[in-house]
């Protein structure tokens, strides 16, 4: 059974998760209880797949700007290109406040997944199992998702309420548990998952969790607590025990659009993520076109430049004619899609990280598109590189560089492979599967652990394994610092890793946003000293009348 095709049936289990949009709320929860919802393994399967659907909603299937903040927007990696003055996370000081929408959205979304996981866990024990191995496998999946959610919460908010049972009656007495207690639960859940999930290749369907995913997340969680030896050991399990390997040669569907495609490009080509010979994929988020509830990804909309808005060429003729669709030209390119520039890469991401090694395979034109061309046979400029110097004047030089044209990381795109809104070349959406975890990151996690242990030589070795795939120059132990590792993560994982959480974990968020976020309307985007953590939503504090839900310092 393909996970992609069973999400919809499972989602119905969670349609009535609560009668308000706040998980930590005094109002009664209107949810089918574990006592009457789980009577057989098939019921548990539906509940577990529902968790996968909720987990997927952290990566895709939600077309909202907030989805890209923890990934890149407002960090050292990207600012809001469509409106640098007033767009999302252009002003940390006024947006990340106790009454702000972003702190509320992440808090509610994460606690909803915790609640649903606890409900399924309780339901698993609602009947007698004849196959204890099957039961343990389901418990492992559920506990992984609970750990997944609490890792988000403890990283973004610090001390948080610790819930291990469903909240089935009204409560107004939530208190914050210390980070040590939260991490202890996360570790326990992931250790159980690592022991009881299937091994790579034995999972029931594409996108289902395996032991490698649990070890990978454990490595990150250990790093957050400076447990460097445990982090190195967890990453080593992934690297050594399951047959994972970096993809170093071209594979799967091999497009040749830009003439500089390579193995790194193929990692992100439609339908290559789930291939059995893709030995780099650890956990892949599933999307599927032409399927109700199949999911879609708005990465093109978020990360690409709005090239179609540049207007005319210097000779006054429309610059981009676009594709012929239903008898007329659209003004859009099927190669580029229809982006709107939510995430304009900072100069750090667009240029600085490549300085000194510009020929890195990850920086080829196929992977980071830097040249855009006039596309209209009626113009004398047709086929020439678009260069603002060709114009005698432009109405908005700011928009030219922040919204219309900038380096486009093509890993988020699906060139020539769109299924919806074809008159607008996909409308900013595609249906690619997405990496939640892949082996290159595991090597970088272990490198960070080795650095923490004082072994920069081993750290350099792991970083060089990642760099060698892309024919980047080798580094030495003397080159390895935590900032170099963050640079390497940016080169390898931009638009994939949750950059905000990585920087929060390292307590580097404020420093690096101030240093690298070059939003032209608000350099440093107004981030304040205390904002390495988000505030606890004020509405939850106010409703929690039976106990004190304390606020984070500075808010």
């Amino acid at each position: 059974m393909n996970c992609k095709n069973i999400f919809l049936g499972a989602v119905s289990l969670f349609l009535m998760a609560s009668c308000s949009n706040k998980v930590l709320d005094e109002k009664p929860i209107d949810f089918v209880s574990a006592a009457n919802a789980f009577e057989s393994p098939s019921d548990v399967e539906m509940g577990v797949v529902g968790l996968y659907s909720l987990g997927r909603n952290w990566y895709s299937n939600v077309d909202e700007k907030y989805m890209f903040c923890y990934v890149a927007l407002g960090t050292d990696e990207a600012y809001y290109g469509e409106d640098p003055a007033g767009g999302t996370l252009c002003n940390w000081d006024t947006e990340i406040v106790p009454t702000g929408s972003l702190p509320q959205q992440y808090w509610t979304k994460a606690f909803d997944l915790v609640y649903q996981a606890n409900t399924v866990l309780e339901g698993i024990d609602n009947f007698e199992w004849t196959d204890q191995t099957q039961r343990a496998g389901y418990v492992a999946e559920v506990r992984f998702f609970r750990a997944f959610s609490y890792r988000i919460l403890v990283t973004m908010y610090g001390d948080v309420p610790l819930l291990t049972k469903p909240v089935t009656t009204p409560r107004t007495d939530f208190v914050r548990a210390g980070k040590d207690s939260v991490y202890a639960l996360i570790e326990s859940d992931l250790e159980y998952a690592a022991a009881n999930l299937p091994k790579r290749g034995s999972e029931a369907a594409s996108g289902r969790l395996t032991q490698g995913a649990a070890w990978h997340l454990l490595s990150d969680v250990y790093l957050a607590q400076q447990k460097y030896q445990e982090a190195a050991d967890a990453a080593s399990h992934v690297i050594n025990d399951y047959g994972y390997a970096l993809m170093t040669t071209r594979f799967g569907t091999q497009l040749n659009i830009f003439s500089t495609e390579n193995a790194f490009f193929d990692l992100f080509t439609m339908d290559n993520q789930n291939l059995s010979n893709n030995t780099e994929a650890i956990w892949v988020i599933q999307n599927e076109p032409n399927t109700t509830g199949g999911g879609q990804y708005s990465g093109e909309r978020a990360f690409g430049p709005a090239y179609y808005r540049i207007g005319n060429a210097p000779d006054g003729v429309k610059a981009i004619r676009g594709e012929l669709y239903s008898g007329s030209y659209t003004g859009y390119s099927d190669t580029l899609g229809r982006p709107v520039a939510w995430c304009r890469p900072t100069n750090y991401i667009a240029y600085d990280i490549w300085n000194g090694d510009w020929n890195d395979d990850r920086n080829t034109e196929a992977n980071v598109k830097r040249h855009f061309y006039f596309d209209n046979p009626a113009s004398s400029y047709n086929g020439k590189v678009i260069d603002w110097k060709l114009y005698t004047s432009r109405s908005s030089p700011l928009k030219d560089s922040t919204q219309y044209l900038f380096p486009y990381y093509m890993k988020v795109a699906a060139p020539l492979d769109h299924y919806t809104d074809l008159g607008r070349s996909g409308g900013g959406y595609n249906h690619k599967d997405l990496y939640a975890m892949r082996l290159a990151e595991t090597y970088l996690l272990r490198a960070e652990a080795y650095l923490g242990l004082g072994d920069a030589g081993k750290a350099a070795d792991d970083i060089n394994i990642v760099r060698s795939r892309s024919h980047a120059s080798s580094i030495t132990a003397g080159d390895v610092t935590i900032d170099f590792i963050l640079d390497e993560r940016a080169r390898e994982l931009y638009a994939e890793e949750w950059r905000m959480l990585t920087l929060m974990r390292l307590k580097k968020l404020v420093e690096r946003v101030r240093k690298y976020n070059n939003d032209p309307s608000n350099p440093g985007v107004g981030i304040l000293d205390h904002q390495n953590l988000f505030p606890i939503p004020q509405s939850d504090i106010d409703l929690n009348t039976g106990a004190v839900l304390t606020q984070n310092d500075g808010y």
Side-chain angles (χ1 to χ4, degrees):
M1 177 178 286
N2 190 324
C3 259
K4 297 178 180 180
N5 296 326
I6 58 178
F7 279 131
L8 183 64
V11 172
S12 63
L13 179 61
F14 299 112
L15 287 178
M16 296 184 293
S18 72
C19 54
S20 85
N21 62 356
K22 300 177 180 64
V23 176
L24 297 184
D25 196 323
E26 88 281 7
K27 297 179 181 180
I29 293 172
D30 182 13
F31 181 77
V32 179
S33 71
N36 57 39
F38 298 94
E39 299 177 347
S40 69
S42 62
D43 293 334
V44 173
E45 168 71 11
M46 294 292 283
V48 168
V49 175
L51 298 179
Y52 278 94
S53 182
L54 293 174
R56 179 181 65 177
N57 287 348
W58 283 93
Y59 295 88
S60 64
N61 205 42
V62 178
D63 182 32
E64 298 286 348
K65 301 176 185 69
Y66 82 84
M67 291 285 290
F68 300 96
C69 295
Y70 48 86
V71 178
L73 184 56
T75 71
D76 57 347
E77 293 189 334
Y79 60 85
Y80 196 85
E82 194 173 28
D83 179 11
T88 301
L89 267 190
C90 292
N91 300 279
W92 273 76
D93 51 341
T94 58
E95 293 179 75
I96 305 304
V97 294
T99 56
S101 63
L102 288 175
Q104 182 72 71
Q105 283 173 306
Y106 301 135
W107 175 273
T108 300
K109 190 168 183 173
F111 268 116
D112 185 42
L113 185 47
V114 168
Y115 171 74
Q116 314 295 10
N118 284 336
T119 299
V120 179
L121 273 178
E122 186 174 275
I124 286 174
D125 287 331
N126 197 48
F127 58 91
E128 293 294 324
W129 289 78
T130 59
D131 186 338
Q132 292 301 314
T133 300
Q134 182 187 36
R135 177 191 177 279
Y138 280 131
V139 171
E141 288 180 288
V142 177
R143 292 184 69 174
F144 177 95
F145 279 110
R146 185 169 66 183
F148 171 88
S149 298
Y150 265 118
R151 177 252 182 172
I152 295 168
L153 288 163
V154 74
T155 305
M156 296 188 80
Y157 300 93
D159 300 349
V160 292
L162 195 59
L163 309 176
T164 58
K165 299 290 184 182
V167 179
T168 57
T169 57
R171 282 188 57 185
T172 60
D173 60 347
F174 295 102
V175 295
R176 297 174 68 180
K179 290 173 64 175
D180 289 348
S181 297
V182 179
Y183 277 122
L185 177 66
I186 295 171
E187 287 183 20
S188 175
D189 281 349
L190 290 176
E191 287 164 0
Y192 185 93
N196 291 282
L197 286 169
K199 294 182 178 181
R200 174 179 175 267
S202 300
E203 62 270 30
S206 298
R208 295 296 279 256
L209 291 160
T210 62
Q211 293 178 13
W215 285 119
H216 178 102
L217 190 54
L218 256 175
S219 183
D220 185 284
V221 168
Y222 286 138
L223 285 173
Q225 303 169 81
Q226 293 81 51
K227 295 181 177 180
Y228 296 119
Q229 188 60 58
E230 291 93 333
D233 292 344
S236 294
H237 278 299
V238 183
I239 292 166
N240 298 328
D241 296 351
Y242 300 105
Y244 294 111
L246 297 184
M247 301 302 296
T248 57
T249 59
R250 300 206 66 184
F251 70 100
T253 300
Q254 299 177 25
L255 300 179
N256 289 287
I257 300 171
F258 306 100
S259 77
T260 56
E261 288 84 352
N262 48 40
F264 189 79
F265 180 90
D266 289 345
L267 281 168
F268 305 98
T269 297
M270 182 85 172
D271 294 329
N272 282 358
Q273 293 74 29
N274 291 321
L275 295 176
S276 60
N277 65 333
N278 181 348
T279 55
E280 188 163 341
I282 298 174
W283 182 28
V284 177
I285 302 302
Q286 305 295 295
N287 295 302
E288 183 75 10
N290 302 322
T291 301
T292 302
Q296 64 181 14
Y297 175 51
S298 50
E300 291 175 10
R301 187 178 188 197
F303 287 99
Y307 63 91
Y308 51 89
R309 293 175 179 168
I310 68 174
N312 293 334
D315 58 4
V317 177
K318 185 176 176 63
I320 307 294
R321 184 178 68 170
E323 309 294 341
L324 181 64
Y325 180 76
S326 294
S328 61
Y329 289 98
T330 65
Y332 303 101
S333 163
D334 283 349
T335 300
L336 305 177
R338 186 189 178 276
V340 297
W342 286 347
C343 300
R344 198 280 190 200
T346 59
N347 287 344
Y348 164 73
I349 284 292
Y351 309 109
D352 297 351
I353 59 174
W354 306 110
N355 287 339
D357 216 343
W358 198 261
N359 293 325
D360 187 316
D361 278 2
R362 296 167 294 191
N363 190 38
T364 66
E365 185 75 6
N367 289 311
V368 186
K369 185 168 179 56
R370 300 177 183 276
H371 300 91
F372 300 84
Y373 299 87
F374 293 108
D375 175 30
N376 191 338
S379 171
S380 61
Y381 289 86
N382 186 49
K384 294 181 180 180
V385 174
I386 300 173
D387 185 343
W388 304 126
K389 295 177 182 177
L390 296 172
Y391 290 83
T392 56
S393 66
R394 292 282 299 174
S395 62
S396 179
L398 179 65
K399 289 183 178 180
D400 286 344
S401 62
T402 67
Q403 182 182 157
Y404 301 158
L405 292 183
F406 52 73
Y408 187 2
Y409 277 68
M410 295 301 293
K411 63 166 64 173
V412 304
L416 309 180
D417 207 343
H418 297 97
Y419 295 84
T420 57
D421 201 357
L422 299 183
R424 299 194 303 166
S425 294
Y429 312 103
N430 61 53
H431 294 79
K432 297 201 316 187
D433 301 320
L434 306 173
Y435 297 105
M437 302 174 185
R438 59 183 178 90
L439 187 65
E441 183 182 16
T442 317
Y443 275 110
L444 297 178
L445 289 172
R446 193 169 70 173
E448 186 182 332
Y450 284 145
L451 180 63
L453 290 168
D455 196 336
K458 283 187 176 180
D461 289 343
D462 276 352
I463 294 169
N464 281 330
I465 289 172
V466 175
R467 291 176 63 80
S468 65
R469 182 258 297 283
S470 295
H471 302 99
S473 58
S474 297
I475 65 166
T476 66
D479 296 317
V480 181
T481 64
I482 194 62
D483 285 311
F484 186 92
I485 290 174
L486 286 170
D487 294 347
E488 195 63 34
R489 290 181 68 92
R491 284 183 282 266
E492 183 72 26
L493 300 169
Y494 177 63
E496 295 177 74
E497 75 160 316
W498 291 6
R499 185 69 166 192
M500 184 181 291
L501 271 67
T502 298
L503 297 180
M504 284 176 161
R505 170 173 66 77
L506 290 165
K507 297 179 174 58
K508 301 276 283 184
L509 178 67
V510 175
E511 169 199 334
R512 289 183 66 93
V513 170
R514 285 175 174 165
K515 183 176 182 179
Y516 292 116
N517 194 303
N518 62 300
D519 182 322
S521 297
N522 189 17
V525 291
I527 196 167
L528 301 174
D529 289 343
H530 61 272
Q531 290 184 311
N532 195 73
L533 289 177
F534 272 27
I536 306 301
Q538 189 62 43
S539 58
D540 288 78
I541 291 175
D542 293 343
L543 290 166
N544 197 62
T545 57
V548 177
L549 197 60
T550 58
Q551 183 58 272
N552 280 327
D553 291 344
Y555 292 105

